[in-house]
Amino acid sequence: MPAEYNGTTGTADEGYSSGVHDLNIFYDTGHMVFLTVSSVLVLLMIPGVGFFYSGLARRKSALQLVLLSMLSLAVISFQWFFWGYSLTFSRTGNAFLGDLSQFGLMKTLGEPNGSAYLPDILFALYQGMFASITPALAIGAVADRGRMLPALVFIFIWSTVVYDPIAYWTWNANGWLFKLPSYDFAGGGPVHIASGTCGLAYSIMLGKRTGYSSNAGLPYRPHSVTNVVIGTTFLWVGWFGFNGGSALGMNIRAIMACYVTNLAASCAGITWALLDYRLEKKWSTIGFCSGAISGLVAITPASGFVTPWGAVIIGVCGGVCCNFATKLKFLIGVDDALDIFAVHGIGGMVGNILTGVFGASYIAGLDGNTYNPIGWIEHNWVQVGHQLAGICAAFGWSFVLSCLILFLMNLVPGLSLRVSADDEDVGIDDCQLGEFAYDYVELTRHVADSPGQVSDRTLSSSSSTANERAVHEKAVPGTV
């Protein structure tokens, strides 16, 4: 059994104040291994987001979305070290935001944080993966028309002024939503509502893709269903660390969180596939993958609080609500190319509300602690109101601040958000990366690379466009 931590608590501390040189005596290696593996699983989700978005996008903009997801990891890894972790999980902040007492991860080593089972540095690693995947979910809004450099600058600023405060309100013991309480086990508000709303704001500020209004919303089929399936698989597997690891220890609550996560995703995937089947009488792979993701999103805030039968209801409701929410962009006239708001924004809201309905203290207590009654099934009628407060706070803060950041950035020389019309026609991979997702495109460029031939850019554009027209002949109703 590990020794009880006997150093300074309540303030940032290296962990040496106990006078013990071997800090490992305070922690069980099983708990630390579990959280380390969970961190790796959440990291796996980040390229999963890139593959999922890339498969849904057009061929000539596919590589950008994979690269942006990885760059999100890189940018936020630095931001989290620099001041993100301190702003979110410092012990001495106010009700709204943390301070810089752990700036640059100073005094962040062996003192427990988040849980008595975890040293500060492991908690920082795990939560840093959450901070990294959140802007990766949102930045898919640049599809087909957004520039790279402004997207990277936006990721750093947005994480600092939007994600960090919302995560602080929700998970830091000093945060106002934590004290309310508004229950959110693994990130329905800070991760999904915030990223989905950010994606909506980014789509509005970028404007519609060229030809959107005259072509029924550019109803292209996803260019690579295989990539979508691969991305879904990475996300589904990684979500076990995302939700299970949020128990912050290897206990039965973590196992239950993993079980209900898989169950909700399965039910939502079947639900979405059936909803699409009613339209064309065909089974849609994209529909199943989209549904599975919507179920994973919806169960995220509830995973540490609900029974398996509650997870079935949450999965079905998440699949239905997110499926129909894909039509919202046509209603409000926003070109949300990858339906980020429909899946993550609406899915997070559904999950947060249903946490207030199906949350059970005896499920939360599987981690060995005692909890007050949580949801309506335990006659705690006010909880849905508290959950709605969390939803409104995350949506309002993310939408307003995202729009403001993007508006101001667009005024700065060199940080204009959108590529030119010619570059949009050529394709983002060509004009912004100079690389392509598929070898045959590069081969076509080099075959014609001789004097008197058309330019590489023009040829690659016409080749890409011709292939897209051959593949994207009609839309698949109800898919993201």
Side-chain angles (χ1 to χ4, degrees):
M1 295 294 292
E4 182 178 354
Y5 184 79
N6 62 351
T8 301
T9 58
T11 58
D13 180 79
E14 295 283 8
Y16 295 128
S17 60
S18 62
V20 178
H21 293 291
D22 184 8
L23 296 174
N24 295 288
I25 66 173
F26 299 124
Y27 300 103
D28 182 272
T29 54
H31 291 304
M32 291 197 292
V33 167
F34 176 63
L35 261 293
T36 302
V37 171
S38 294
S39 301
V40 174
L41 288 173
V42 179
L43 171 61
L44 181 67
M45 296 172 70
I46 298 174
V49 171
F51 278 112
F52 185 79
Y53 284 169
S54 174
L56 292 173
R58 299 168 69 180
R59 179 176 281 103
K60 62 183 180 181
S61 302
L63 189 60
Q64 180 202 28
L65 297 173
V66 178
L67 177 59
L68 272 176
S69 69
M70 300 308 297
L71 285 172
S72 174
L73 171 63
V75 170
I76 299 306
S77 292
F78 172 76
Q79 187 270 353
W80 196 245
F81 151 80
F82 187 67
W83 59 24
Y85 180 67
S86 187
L87 292 174
T88 309
F89 289 106
S90 61
R91 300 167 176 83
T92 52
N94 54 36
F96 184 76
L97 188 64
D99 54 31
L100 295 178
S101 60
Q102 292 174 264
F103 175 82
L105 291 189
M106 63 180 179
K107 300 180 180 179
T108 304
L109 186 59
E111 184 182 353
N113 198 359
S115 166
Y117 304 135
L118 307 180
D120 219 349
I121 191 65
L122 178 53
F123 189 60
L125 171 67
Y126 180 64
Q127 288 294 341
M129 295 299 122
F130 278 63
S132 298
I133 194 174
T134 303
L137 294 170
I139 209 64
V142 305
D144 289 331
R145 62 205 191 275
R147 294 179 62 226
M148 291 289 295
L149 178 60
L152 298 180
V153 174
F154 176 78
I155 285 172
F156 186 92
I157 298 173
W158 184 87
S159 184
T160 301
V161 302
V162 177
Y163 175 81
D164 291 347
I166 297 175
Y168 180 89
W169 306 342
T170 305
W171 291 321
N172 194 297
N174 297 319
W176 69 274
L177 283 176
F178 186 92
K179 291 181 176 180
L180 192 55
S182 178
Y183 293 106
D184 190 335
F185 188 66
V191 177
H192 295 296
I193 295 177
S195 65
T197 304
C198 174
L200 177 66
Y202 213 128
S203 298
I204 292 172
M205 300 304 290
L206 272 177
K208 298 175 181 178
R209 288 168 290 174
T210 302
Y212 182 88
S213 299
S214 61
N215 196 22
L218 295 178
Y220 294 103
R221 283 182 179 272
H223 92 273
S224 175
V225 178
T226 302
N227 275 6
V228 174
V229 175
I230 292 172
T232 302
T233 303
F234 281 11
L235 285 165
W236 200 326
V237 171
W239 230 291
F240 281 81
F242 196 85
N243 287 353
S246 293
L248 302 181
M250 185 66 262
N251 49 53
I252 300 176
R253 188 183 191 189
I255 298 170
M256 179 62 81
C258 290
Y259 188 88
V260 299
T261 295
N262 182 69
L263 182 60
S266 301
C267 293
I270 294 170
T271 299
W272 193 303
L274 290 173
L275 288 172
D276 281 1
Y277 182 82
R278 86 188 195 281
L279 299 174
E280 292 195 348
K281 299 299 183 288
K282 292 182 180 180
W283 295 96
S284 169
T285 306
I286 295 293
F288 175 78
C289 291
S290 300
I293 299 300
S294 69
L296 291 166
V297 170
I299 197 61
T300 292
S303 54
F305 301 109
V306 299
T307 59
W309 64 265
V312 171
I313 298 174
I314 291 173
V316 172
C317 290
V320 170
C321 292
C322 292
N323 181 283
F324 286 105
T326 59
K327 308 303 184 291
L328 286 175
K329 62 183 181 183
F330 302 110
L331 183 64
I332 62 178
V334 175
D335 183 9
D336 184 359
L338 305 179
D339 284 326
I340 298 169
F341 179 70
V343 174
H344 294 280
I346 298 300
M349 294 177 188
V350 170
N352 264 15
I353 292 172
L354 294 182
T355 300
V357 176
F358 298 110
S361 59
Y362 53 88
I363 297 296
L366 292 174
D367 63 2
N369 297 311
T370 302
Y371 295 84
N372 294 323
I374 294 175
W376 279 8
I377 64 171
E378 295 184 305
H379 309 295
N380 183 29
W381 310 114
V382 74
Q383 190 57 48
V384 168
H386 292 171
Q387 299 301 112
L388 288 171
I391 291 171
C392 292
F395 176 87
W397 185 259
S398 181
F399 185 77
V400 173
L401 268 294
S402 297
C403 287
L404 181 60
I405 294 167
L406 291 165
F407 175 77
L408 295 176
M409 281 180 52
N410 206 38
L411 300 177
V412 178
L415 291 182
S416 57
L417 303 176
R418 186 165 177 158
V419 299
S420 67
D422 288 343
D423 284 345
E424 185 179 345
D425 180 61
V426 167
I428 305 301
D429 290 353
D430 196 344
C431 71
Q432 289 283 297
L433 275 61
E435 298 172 332
F436 301 88
Y438 303 99
D439 286 342
Y440 80 86
V441 178
E442 194 70 23
L443 178 64
T444 303
R445 286 165 52 90
H446 288 293
V447 166
D449 191 13
S450 61
Q453 298 291 333
V454 295
S455 69
D456 289 347
R457 270 172 76 93
T458 303
L459 184 57
S460 67
S461 173
S462 61
S463 174
S464 176
T465 303
N467 280 291
E468 284 178 359
R469 286 173 180 167
V471 175
H472 307 310
E473 294 179 349
K474 63 177 182 176
V476 179
T479 63
V480 294

